[in-house]
Amino acid sequence: QVKTQIALANAQELLQKMTDKCFKKCITKPGTSLASSEQKCVEMCMDRYMEAWNVVSKAYNAKLQMERNRLT
Amino acid sequence: QVKTQIALANAQELLQKMTDKCFKKCITKPGTSLASSEQKCVEMCMDRYMEAWNVVSKAYNAKLQMERNRLT
Amino acid sequence: QVKTQIALANAQELLQKMTDKCFKKCITKPGTSLASSEQKCVEMCMDRYMEAWNVVSKAYNAKLQMERNRLT
Amino acid sequence: PELRHFIEIESQKAKYQAQVHSFTDQCWDKCIDKPGSKLDSKTETCLVNCVGRFIDVSLTIANKFQKRLEQGGH
Amino acid sequence: PELRHFIEIESQKAKYQAQVHSFTDQCWDKCIDKPGSKLDSKTETCLVNCVGRFIDVSLTIANKFQKRLEQGGH
Amino acid sequence: PELRHFIEIESQKAKYQAQVHSFTDQCWDKCIDKPGSKLDSKTETCLVNCVGRFIDVSLTIANKFQKRLEQGGH
C-alpha cells in the first residue's frame, strides 16, 4: 500500500508539472476555448515531457552508478 | 476551529502571494526608503490582486459547475 | 538535538538554494563535463551567495530591531 | 460520521482555495503587465479565459495519461 | 515549562532562518547579475535596501488588509 | 526489521523520484525551447549533460562547504 501511494504521488507530481509547463509553453494568449493548434501543442508537449522524464531518470541512474564506482 | 484555521491559512497565503507579486512589480531598484510612487503602486497592485483573486474564484466555480453538468 | 536538526535543516536549505542559483547563473549550455571557467564561476557564486546570506541576515535583524523600537 | 463529514467538507474547501491561489498566481503573470487603477474588462476576460484554458489543458493531459496507462505503454 | 520555552525559541529561530533564506533568494535575483570576485559595496547596499523595502511592502499590505477586514468589506 | 527495511527502500525511491522530478523541471527549461514532434538527439544530449553538470555543481558546492566547516570559518 505504501508502494501504491508512492506510485500515485509520483504520477500526480508528473501530471501537475506537465500541466504547468505545457500551459506555459502552449497557451500564450488564453482565448474562449482551446484552439486546435494549442491542443496539438499540449499533446506534443506532454509526450516530450514524459520522454524527458525518462531520459533524465536514466541519466541520473547512470551518474549515481558512476559516483558509486568512483568511491569503491 | 478547523474553519478558523483554514480561513487564517487562506488569508496568510493571500498576503504572502500579494507581497511577493507586488514587491516584484513595484520595486525595481530598492532605495533607502519606499518612494511615494512605489507606495502607490503597491496599494494599487494589492487591490488588483484581490480583484483578480475574486474573478478567478468565480470563474473556477463556474467551470467546475459546467464540467459537473456535462457529466450528468 | 532539536538544535542540531534545525542547524542541519538550515545548512541543507542553504546548499540547495546555492546549487540551484549557481547552476542557473554559471551553466548556460551544459557540456560533457564541467569546464574550468564554469567551475570557477560556481566557486565564486557560492562565496557571494554565502556573503549575501550574511548581509541579508544582518539587515533583517537590524530592521526587526528598528520596528521593535518604533513600537515601544 | 458528522465529524468525518465536516472534516471532508473543510478539506475540500482548503483544496479549492489552494487551487484558486495557484490559478491567481499563474494567471496574474499571464494577464497583468502593470497593475492599473482598475481591473479593465480586457484583463478580466483574460483571467476568466486563463482559468478555463488551464483546466482544459489539465483535463486534456489527465485523459491522455489515463489512456496511456490503460494501453499499458508508457 | 522550560521545554516549552526551549521549543518556542527554537521554532522562532527556524522561522527567522526560513525568512532569511527567502529574502536571500529574492534579493539575490534583484541585486546580483554576475557573481564577481567580491561583493562590491553597491551590491551590498542593494541587498540591505532590498530586505528593508520588502519588509515595508509586507507591512503596507498587511496594514491595509487589516483595515479592510475591520471595515467589513472585501 | 523487514518492515523497517521495506520502509527505508520505499523512502529512498520517493527521494529518487522527487530528484528526477526536480531535474526534469530544471533541465526542461534549460534544454527545450519549443516542444517538437520528437525529442531530437541534440535535446537528449542536453538533458543528459544537464543532469550530469547539475550533480557536478552540487558536489562541488557540498565539498567546498564541508571544507569551510572543517576550517571552522564561515
Side-chain angles (χ1 to χ4, degrees):
Chain A
Q1 228 190 357
V2 180
K3 267 192 180 172
T4 328
Q5 280 184 347
I6 290 178
L8 201 69
N10 196 32
Q12 276 177 343
E13 178 79 12
L14 183 62
L15 282 170
Q16 204 205 301
K17 293 258 188 196
M18 280 194 295
T19 306
D20 286 358
K21 294 287 186 192
C22 297
F23 180 75
K24 241 176 218 156
K25 283 248 189 264
C26 298
I27 318 292
T28 38
K29 280 194 172 184
T32 49
S33 70
L34 217 58
S36 71
S37 61
E38 289 172 330
Q39 176 92 25
K40 216 172 162 178
C41 177
V42 167
E43 295 187 10
M44 281 214 300
C45 175
M46 179 190 173
D47 287 339
R48 293 304 82 69
Y49 199 87
M50 297 208 301
E51 279 170 27
W53 202 94
N54 284 327
V55 168
V56 162
S57 178
K58 268 182 216 162
Y60 181 33
N61 243 325
K63 183 82 179 168
L64 281 181
Q65 202 58 50
M66 239 178 68
E67 293 295 329
R68 244 180 242 132
N69 290 344
R70 195 188 290 180
L71 293 175
T72 54
Chain B
Q1 230 191 356
V2 179
K3 267 191 181 172
T4 328
Q5 279 184 348
I6 290 177
L8 200 70
N10 196 29
Q12 277 177 344
E13 178 79 12
L14 183 62
L15 282 170
Q16 204 204 302
K17 294 258 187 197
M18 280 194 296
T19 306
D20 287 358
K21 294 287 186 192
C22 297
F23 179 75
K24 242 177 216 156
K25 283 249 190 264
C26 299
I27 319 292
T28 38
K29 279 195 172 183
T32 48
S33 70
L34 217 57
S36 71
S37 62
E38 289 172 331
Q39 176 91 24
K40 216 171 163 179
C41 177
V42 167
E43 294 187 10
M44 282 214 300
C45 175
M46 178 190 175
D47 287 339
R48 295 302 83 70
Y49 199 87
M50 298 208 300
E51 278 170 29
W53 202 93
N54 284 327
V55 168
V56 162
S57 177
K58 269 183 215 161
Y60 180 34
N61 244 326
K63 183 83 180 169
L64 282 181
Q65 203 57 50
M66 239 178 69
E67 294 295 329
R68 245 180 240 132
N69 291 343
R70 195 188 290 178
L71 294 174
T72 52
Chain C
Q1 228 191 358
V2 180
K3 267 193 181 172
T4 329
Q5 279 184 349
I6 290 177
L8 199 69
N10 195 30
Q12 276 177 343
E13 179 78 11
L14 183 62
L15 282 170
Q16 204 204 301
K17 294 260 187 193
M18 280 195 296
T19 306
D20 287 358
K21 295 288 185 191
C22 297
F23 180 74
K24 241 176 218 156
K25 283 251 188 260
C26 299
I27 319 291
T28 39
K29 280 195 168 182
T32 49
S33 70
L34 217 56
S36 71
S37 62
E38 289 172 332
Q39 176 90 26
K40 215 171 163 178
C41 177
V42 167
E43 295 187 9
M44 281 213 300
C45 174
M46 179 188 173
D47 287 338
R48 293 303 82 70
Y49 199 87
M50 297 208 301
E51 278 169 27
W53 201 95
N54 284 328
V55 168
V56 162
S57 178
K58 268 182 218 161
Y60 180 33
N61 244 325
K63 184 82 180 166
L64 281 182
Q65 203 56 50
M66 239 178 68
E67 294 295 329
R68 244 179 242 132
N69 290 343
R70 193 187 292 178
L71 294 173
T72 53
Chain D
E2 269 184 39
L3 179 66
R4 213 178 134 177
H5 184 64
F6 173 77
I7 289 173
E8 257 168 40
I9 286 180
E10 291 304 313
S11 140
Q12 276 187 338
K13 265 195 225 166
K15 269 186 206 168
Y16 172 83
Q17 284 173 346
Q19 197 58 262
V20 174
H21 283 302
S22 163
F23 286 153
T24 309
D25 185 335
Q26 298 190 62
C27 295
W28 174 266
D29 291 343
K30 271 242 187 294
C31 299
I32 281 128
D33 186 30
K34 288 200 173 187
S37 57
K38 65 187 219 52
L39 207 69
D40 58 44
S41 69
K42 209 181 127 200
T43 307
E44 196 171 326
T45 307
C46 180
L47 288 169
V48 172
N49 287 341
C50 175
V51 172
R53 296 311 68 70
F54 193 93
I55 296 173
D56 288 346
V57 168
S58 176
L59 291 176
T60 301
I61 287 179
N63 286 335
K64 221 188 152 190
F65 190 74
Q66 182 71 30
K67 266 183 210 151
R68 288 284 175 79
L69 288 185
E70 284 164 6
Q71 286 169 4
H74 178 37
Chain E
E2 269 185 40
L3 179 65
R4 215 178 133 177
H5 184 65
F6 173 77
I7 288 173
E8 258 169 40
I9 286 181
E10 291 303 313
S11 141
Q12 277 188 337
K13 265 196 226 166
K15 269 186 205 166
Y16 172 83
Q17 284 172 346
Q19 197 58 263
V20 175
H21 284 302
S22 164
F23 286 152
T24 309
D25 186 333
Q26 296 190 62
C27 296
W28 173 266
D29 291 344
K30 270 242 186 295
C31 300
I32 282 129
D33 186 31
K34 287 198 172 188
S37 56
K38 63 188 221 51
L39 208 70
D40 57 44
S41 68
K42 207 180 128 202
T43 308
E44 197 171 325
T45 306
C46 179
L47 288 169
V48 173
N49 287 342
C50 176
V51 172
R53 297 309 71 69
F54 194 93
I55 296 173
D56 289 345
V57 168
S58 176
L59 291 175
T60 299
I61 287 180
N63 286 334
K64 221 186 151 193
F65 191 75
Q66 182 71 29
K67 267 183 210 150
R68 290 283 176 80
L69 288 185
E70 284 165 5
Q71 286 170 3
H74 178 35
Chain F
E2 268 184 41
L3 179 67
R4 214 179 133 176
H5 184 65
F6 172 77
I7 289 173
E8 256 168 41
I9 286 181
E10 291 303 313
S11 141
Q12 277 188 336
K13 265 196 226 168
K15 269 186 207 167
Y16 172 83
Q17 284 172 347
Q19 197 58 264
V20 174
H21 284 301
S22 163
F23 286 152
T24 309
D25 185 333
Q26 298 190 62
C27 295
W28 174 264
D29 290 344
K30 271 243 187 291
C31 298
I32 281 129
D33 186 31
K34 288 199 171 189
S37 57
K38 64 188 220 50
L39 208 70
D40 57 45
S41 68
K42 208 180 127 201
T43 307
E44 196 171 326
T45 306
C46 180
L47 288 169
V48 173
N49 287 342
C50 175
V51 172
R53 294 312 69 69
F54 193 93
I55 296 173
D56 289 345
V57 168
S58 175
L59 292 176
T60 300
I61 286 179
N63 287 335
K64 221 187 152 191
F65 190 75
Q66 181 71 30
K67 265 182 212 152
R68 288 283 176 80
L69 288 187
E70 285 164 5
Q71 286 168 3
H74 179 33

